Every structure is written in structure tokens, then in C-alpha cells.
Amino acid sequence: MAPLKLAFVFGTRPEAIKLAPIIVAAQARPAEFDVEVISTGQHREMLDQMLEWFEIDATVDLAVMRPDQTITFITSAVLGGVGAHFENSRPDWVIVHGDTTTTFAAALAAFYQRLPVAHVEAGLRTGDIYSPYPEEMNRLLTTRLTSLHLAPTGAARSNLLAEGVPADRIVVTGNPGIDALMLTLAKLTPPAGRPARPEPGPARNLLVTMHRRENHGAPMGGICRAVLDLLDRYPDLTVTLPLHLSPRVREIVLPLLGEHPRVDLCEPLAYPQFVAAMARATLILSDSGGVQEEAPSMGKPVLVLREMTERPEAVAAGAAVIVGADRELIVSVAARLLDDRDAYAQMATVVNPFGDGTAAQQILAALVDHR
């Protein structure tokens, strides 16, 4: 039997992180899989770092990124570029991940060519098409174009069933982001540790990431002021804040936090450096979905800087708390964890609900079973 031809399409760092373990696992089995890697280049610099870290070469690079690019531009550029490629390359599976504009446009391009789509991390939902925007709608539209739904958890599977997706087209695999984390931790030297509780003294560190559109403007200002409140309350606390490239993020964060002596405002960290930063952190404040998934594997409590999350499993398990951009709530929850070792330890020892690092192999098995 001929190898199964797999076309992986991605354009951003989060997509690359979560598809990389599947690509690496498939490339290690050339008799079974013929692998094609299509990069749209939706986010250029951070995407290239990921490909280098996981030693992946793009078969096709569309290089669509432009200054001040709009969602409309990205959608049309990816649809045209991927669609033109699929006219000649006829993969057995087009594999997309998550909720980006690349994901939706590539799935639509595959549909126009009558090619089956496998959607990694399928079934995440907030129930509000504008939160996050445009990601929630990207997820919904991709679901309608998908032939095989690779759900990370049972809750994601339930979301798909509620929307009428046939049960035999859904496979619960775990999240390959945990596979990527495990691979990265194994490559880091020295290995990153997993402290069970915060210790007093200068080692206590707050890792903060924020970039989502719903936090732009006043909400992000409230988050920054909460960080300042925590710095005032805890003289031993330091803050690491990788600045997102978006000017809308920088114009809020820099004036509020840029001059504080205990705030390290750094440029975006390459993925291995960010994993190391998570390992060093005492507590994480983030509006990132990937961080909500990864942090439990490292014993790091997360304060979710959003009003709702499509990853409620972390909250239900007790590894994360939704605080939004509420200044008082952020300070209150963070202070409880910094002051109460038992409360911290309870969150830090939760078993990760998103998987155990075997998702890539489960996904490849599902692709073979549903060929």
C-alpha cells in the first residue's frame, strides 16, 4: 500500500508548536507517511523559530505576511495560495490546527478541491462568536469543513456532538501541544524543574503574556495596573513580560510598566526560551490558550486574563482561575496564591487534563484508520 500523503498547513507559532510533534512522528515513518509541510507565513518571525527548533523544513512557503495585514487580506491570500497548490498536489489528508485564519482558509481551500480535512484540537468553544475574535468563528467554520475531528478532550468531543457532528468522525487524542512541551523540556539544558510551591525571596517571578484583541485598550491597562499593585505589595516579586509585536499592545504596556525596575519587558521569546521562563515562574498571568494547556504539566497555576475560555478543563481541574481584566480580582487571586502555600500547592499538583504527551501517535493512528 502506498504511503498516506499528509499535507500539514500552518501559519502561526501556536499552530507550528502543536503540529510539529505530529510532523516529526510522521516523518520518522516514511514507509507509512508521505509528509508535505505548507507554511503560509501568517506570522513570519516566530513561525520560523519554531520550524528551526523542531528541525522541520517547509515544503511550500507562501510568505503571505504583510505590514498591517488585515484578516480579509490573510484569508484571501491563504485561500488563493493553498488552493493553487492543492490543484496539483492531491494529499490524502489536509491537516490544520486550531482556530487561526490560516486554519479556516486552508480548510476552505481543501473543500473546494474535494480534499478531506483533519482538524487538530477540534471542538473548542466559548459560545460567543466575538470572544475570542475571530478565532471562535474560525473554529465553527472549520468544523463544518472537516471530515475528521481530532478532539483534545472529552469536553471538546461533547461540543462537537451537540452541534451534530457524527460520533464516528470524532477521535479524542489529547493535545499535541503537550507532546511539544515534553519534547522541548527534554531538549533544554539544564532541564527545567517543577517546584511544588512558591518560596520566599527574590526567586518569586510573575510571568505575564497578553495579546488578544478583546484586551486591547482599557482592559490591558487594568491588567498592567494590577501587576503594579502586586509589585507594590511584594518587594521580592519580579515580572517577566514578553512584549507582543502588536503596536496596540506596546502602546499600553510600555508607558505603564516600561520604567519599573523589577519588570523585564523583553521581546517575544523563542518557544524553548518561553518554556524555560514558564519553568522559572512562580505564577503565570496569561490570555494565551496554549499557556493554559502547558502550565499544568509544569505545576504552574494560571490566572486566565479573559472573561471566558474555550479550555474550561483547566479551570474545572483546578489548575487555572478566570480573572479577566478585573484589577481587583487579579490582585486578590494572585495574592492568595503567593501568601497561601497550601492553596498554591493544590493548584500546582493538578494532573494535566489536556494529555500525557502521546497525542501525536494517536492522531496518526486516527488518520490511518479513517483513510
Side-chain angles (χ1 to χ4, degrees), residues 241-258:
L241 199 161
L243 271 172
H244 196 269
L245 295 174
S246 169
R248 294 184 180 180
V249 173
R250 295 182 174 225
E251 69 187 10
I252 298 296
V253 175
L254 283 169
L256 290 170
L257 299 178

Side-chain angles (χ1 to χ4, degrees), residues 24 67 79 116 161 176 199 220 245 263 273 328 346:
V24 170
L79 179 62
L161 291 172
E199 299 294 343
M220 195 164 289
L245 295 174
V263 177
Q273 282 68 51
E328 292 185 3
Q346 186 174 2

Side-chain angles (χ1 to χ4, degrees), residues 10 16 19-21 23-24 27 37 50-52 54-58:
F10 52 78
L19 290 180
I23 295 170
V24 170
Q27 288 177 332
V37 178
M50 288 309 310
L51 297 180
E52 181 179 355
F54 287 107
E55 300 178 8
I56 294 171
D57 294 321

Side-chain angles (χ1 to χ4, degrees), residues 28-263:
R29 296 157 60 181
E32 300 173 67
F33 302 107
D34 177 9
V35 177
E36 184 175 62
V37 178
I38 303 169
S39 168
T40 69
Q42 181 180 334
H43 291 167
R44 179 82 275 163
E45 296 175 12
M46 293 186 287
L47 178 60
D48 288 346
Q49 292 172 355
M50 288 309 310
L51 297 180
E52 181 179 355
W53 176 249
F54 287 107
E55 300 178 8
I56 294 171
D57 294 321
T59 312
V60 177
D61 189 344
L62 299 178
V64 305
M65 185 175 179
R66 299 289 185 274
D68 301 317
Q69 60 192 8
T70 64
I71 299 171
T72 301
F73 169 79
I74 297 168
T75 304
S76 59
V78 172
L79 179 62
V82 174
H85 177 73
F86 285 159
E87 288 180 4
N88 298 312
S89 172
R90 306 294 297 178
D92 297 302
W93 284 109
V94 174
I95 303 160
V96 297
H97 163 269
D99 56 18
T100 71
T101 301
T102 283
T103 297
F104 162 59
L108 184 59
F111 169 75
Y112 285 162
Q113 295 296 323
R114 296 180 180 270
L115 298 171
V117 173
H119 186 198
V120 176
E121 201 175 57
L124 278 63
R125 299 290 186 267
T126 65
D128 182 343
I129 62 171
Y130 292 106
S131 180
Y133 171 84
E135 289 85 358
E136 179 75 0
M137 183 55 76
N138 286 339
R139 283 192 284 260
L140 289 164
L141 294 171
T142 301
T143 292
R144 308 327 302 172
L145 300 165
T146 292
S147 300
L148 180 61
H149 307 261
L150 301 163
T153 65
R157 178 179 185 274
S158 295
N159 290 338
L160 293 167
L161 291 172
E163 294 172 3
V165 176
D168 63 354
R169 306 308 296 177
I170 307 170
V171 180
V172 177
T173 62
N175 196 308
I178 308 306
D179 299 37
L181 177 66
M182 299 303 183
L183 290 172
T184 297
L185 287 170
K187 291 176 70 173
L188 287 175
T189 305
R194 175 179 169 147
R197 62 180 64 184
E199 299 294 343
R204 297 209 295 184
N205 176 260
L206 197 67
L207 176 61
V208 183
T209 77
M210 46 188 174
H211 71 281
R212 290 196 178 273
R213 288 178 178 86
E214 58 262 40
N215 277 333
H216 289 176
M220 195 164 289
I223 295 167
C224 290
R225 291 180 178 88
V227 170
L228 290 172
D229 292 343
L230 289 167
L231 287 166
D232 288 342
R233 182 178 295 200
Y234 299 99
D236 64 325
L237 190 66
T238 62
V239 173
T240 301
L241 199 161
L243 271 172
H244 196 269
L245 295 174
S246 169
R248 294 184 180 180
V249 173
R250 295 182 174 225
E251 69 187 10
I252 298 296
V253 175
L254 283 169
L256 290 170
L257 299 178
E259 300 300 321
H260 199 288
R262 285 184 282 129
V263 177

